Amino acid sequence: MVWDGTFLYVHSNYAHTLHYSRLASGGLLFSTHPLRCLPAEDWQPLPFLRLMVYQGGETVYTGAPLSQEYFDPEENYEYKELDYTNL
């Protein structure tokens, strides 16, 4: 995620690592895992392998799908098994 003072640019090329929820106020909340502070059905995966651009909580640009996904080196696999259910 990068904010330039006007636009928020969000991109994920690593599967299942970025989710968002639209708040009642119209804003957006981003998280690497759905948080329990909001109902599970409120969380959506960020469109994968696409640049998303937001302004004022609204989508102003959706990029074309990209073709290169990031994969962790095998030595990082242990971190994928962490328990995030208590967040």
Side-chain angles (χ1 to χ4, degrees):
M1 291 188 278
V2 175
W3 184 57
D4 68 4
T6 302
F7 298 106
L8 176 66
Y9 303 87
V10 185
H11 178 265
S12 177
N13 64 344
Y14 189 53
H16 315 292
T17 59
L18 201 52
H19 299 78
Y20 72 96
S21 182
R22 183 162 302 280
L23 303 174
S25 64
L28 293 171
L29 181 63
F30 294 91
S31 179
T32 56
H33 289 82
L35 302 175
R36 295 187 325 170
C37 62
L38 296 171
E41 61 272 9
D42 287 352
W43 289 99
Q44 303 295 320
L46 186 76
F48 186 55
L49 296 175
R50 290 178 181 248
L51 174 64
M52 303 296 294
V53 181
Y54 301 96
Q55 183 179 33
E58 298 299 321
T59 305
V60 296
Y61 177 79
T62 300
L66 302 174
S67 61
Q68 296 188 358
E69 178 179 350
Y70 176 79
F71 292 96
D72 262 329
E74 194 168 320
E75 61 267 14
N76 290 347
Y77 286 170
E78 64 185 274
Y79 298 111
K80 290 184 178 184
E81 303 304 322
L82 295 175
D83 180 11
Y84 294 99
T85 58
N86 293 322
L87 297 178

